[in-house]
Amino acid sequence: MTYIKLLSYRNLCGVIRAAAKGEIMSGPTLSDVANAAGVSYATADRVLNNRGNVAQKSINKVRAAVERLGYVRNVAAANLSRKRVYRLAFLIPTGTNAFFNRIRKHILETANHLSVENVTVEIIEVSAFSVDALRDCIEKLTGNDYDGVAIVGLQSDQLEQPLANLQAQGVAVIGLVSDLPRDYRRAYVGIDNNVAGRTAARLTGMSHAGRSGVIQTFAGALDARDHAERLRGFCEVMAADFPQLCVLDPILTKDDPSFLFQATRDALRSDAPLTAFYNVGAGNVGLIGAITAAAKDPAAQLPFTVVHELVAHSKQALLDGHIDVVIDQRADVEVNRAFANLRALVDGRSLPPMPSLMPTIYVRDNVPADLLNDKTEALPK
C-alpha cells in the first residue's frame, strides 16, 4: 500500500512539472473560472473549497462558469501546492463507556497514521445524552477553523440552528454512531439501528420457540437516535411475528452501569415471569453483574439476554453463558469511514462508495480470540 501511494505522489509531481514546462495540454484553470464568473480568484477558491462567507449570487456564477468551461478540480495537486492541512474534530460522549473507549482508541490510532498526510484531529468530550451540552459544544466550534466535524448525535430541534451555522461556515458535518437531524448533516456513519433492533427481536423471538414470555427492555435515552431506532425495530418485529411475547416499556438508564445493575437485579427479583432482557444501549457491565450474581443460585432461570457492542466484559459474559447474543457495529470500520467521508467532503468531492454497514452477531462460539487487549471492567456488586 505504501508503494502504491509513493508512485501516485511521484506521478502527480511529474504531471505538475510537465504542465509547468508546457509539455502537456492544460485545461481551464481556477483563474479562468474566476474571470468567466466575474469574481475574484479568492472568491472562486472559497466557493470550490466550500469555505463559506460567499454570497449565493457569486456561488451561482462560479458554479455556472465551472460547468461552462468544463473545469475539473485537481484536488491532490491543489492540496499539495497549498500544503493543505485537514483540521478535524470528533465530538464523543464522556464517561467510561467501553464502546466509546474503543472509538477514541481508533480515532487516535488513525489520526497518528494520517499525520503524515497533514491530518490533525481533536477529540472533544460532551456530556452523554445532554442536548444542552451538545448544543453548546457545537456553538463553540463555530469560528474555530475546523474543516470537518463528526458528532455522536442526538435528536432535537435545539441542534438545528447551531449545525446550520457550522455548515454555513463551510465545515463538513457528519453524524457518527447516533445520527443528527438529517437535514443538518452531510452524511451518517453507522449501522442501520432499526435493522439492529429487528435482528435482536428475531433472535429473541426464536429463542422462545413459540412459548409465551415477558421481555424487559433497557435504553440509555430515547433522545439518542440509535437507541430509539433499535427499540422501535425490536417492537415492530415482536408485534408482527411474536405476538405471544409481551415487551415491557424500557427502563431508561442513561447507560449508567450502577443504575443498570440495580434495575436488572430488581427485575430478576420481581414477580414478573421475565424470559428475556434486551438492552439497546450501553452500561452492560451493570446488567452482566446482576445476572452473574443471580447465576450463583443453581435453581435460577436466567432470561435470554441480548446486548450491543462486543467489548471485554460482554465477550467474557458470552463465554461464561451469562448472556446469549452480542450485536456489534465494528467501531474500527466506523472510524475509518468517518475519516474517509470527512476528507472527501472537505475536498469538495462526492462521498466514497461504501456498502451498508451491517451489524455483526456474536454468540459464544464465534467470539474473536483477542479483543484489542482490553481489560474487563469490574462488575458492580
Side-chain angles (χ1 to χ4, degrees), residues 333-367:
V333 175
E334 290 179 325
V335 168
N336 290 342
R337 289 188 174 193
F339 273 98
N341 283 345
L342 285 173
R343 293 181 71 184
L345 290 171
V346 171
D347 285 339
R349 295 180 286 121
S350 59
L351 294 173
M354 295 178 182
S356 298
L357 183 57
M358 287 292 106
T360 302
I361 300 171
Y362 287 106
V363 295
R364 66 185 303 180
D365 306 287
N366 70 332
V367 293

Side-chain angles (χ1 to χ4, degrees), residues 201 204-206 208 211-215 238 242-247 275:
T204 302
M206 291 168 60
H208 285 74
R211 298 184 297 273
S212 62
V214 179
I215 303 165
M238 284 298 173
F242 303 101
Q244 81 279 11
L245 300 179
C246 173
V247 180
T275 54

Side-chain angles (χ1 to χ4, degrees), residues 183-368:
D183 294 336
Y184 296 86
R185 51 73 168 163
R186 301 287 299 281
Y188 165 63
V189 176
I191 60 173
D192 184 324
N193 285 293
N194 186 273
V195 168
R198 294 178 68 87
T199 301
R202 185 72 53 196
L203 294 169
T204 302
M206 291 168 60
S207 75
H208 285 74
R211 298 184 297 273
S212 62
V214 179
I215 303 165
Q216 180 61 65
T217 59
F218 304 90
L222 298 183
D223 285 337
R225 189 166 194 154
D226 54 339
H227 291 200
E229 290 184 345
R230 289 172 187 175
L231 187 62
R232 186 180 307 117
F234 186 87
C235 292
E236 287 171 352
V237 169
M238 284 298 173
D241 296 341
F242 303 101
Q244 81 279 11
L245 300 179
C246 173
V247 180
L248 301 180
D249 290 338
I251 297 174
L252 301 181
T253 68
K254 291 191 177 295
D255 287 352
D256 182 334
S258 297
F259 184 92
L260 189 53
F261 173 80
Q262 186 65 50
T264 305
R265 187 171 64 175
D266 291 347
L268 288 168
R269 292 175 175 177
S270 71
D271 294 331
L274 295 177
T275 54
F277 286 145
Y278 174 44
N279 183 21
V280 306
N284 287 314
V285 69
L287 181 147
I288 291 166
I291 293 176
T292 300
K296 294 177 181 178
D297 179 358
Q301 296 292 319
L302 298 180
F304 183 86
T305 301
V306 181
V307 302
H308 285 268
E309 316 315 345
L310 189 68
V311 293
H313 55 265
S314 58
K315 171 187 173 181
Q316 190 59 53
L318 274 180
L319 296 175
D320 292 340
H322 292 160
I323 62 175
D324 300 279
V325 177
V326 175
I327 299 175
D328 189 67
Q329 59 183 308
R330 296 293 305 278
D332 54 340
V333 175
E334 290 179 325
V335 168
N336 290 342
R337 289 188 174 193
F339 273 98
N341 283 345
L342 285 173
R343 293 181 71 184
L345 290 171
V346 171
D347 285 339
R349 295 180 286 121
S350 59
L351 294 173
M354 295 178 182
S356 298
L357 183 57
M358 287 292 106
T360 302
I361 300 171
Y362 287 106
V363 295
R364 66 185 303 180
D365 306 287
N366 70 332
V367 293

Side-chain angles (χ1 to χ4, degrees), residues 1-2 5 107-117 119:
M1 183 65 72
T2 301
K5 288 182 178 178
I107 291 171
L108 294 174
E109 289 176 344
T110 305
N112 183 60
H113 177 71
L114 294 175
S115 62
V116 296
E117 300 179 27
V119 176

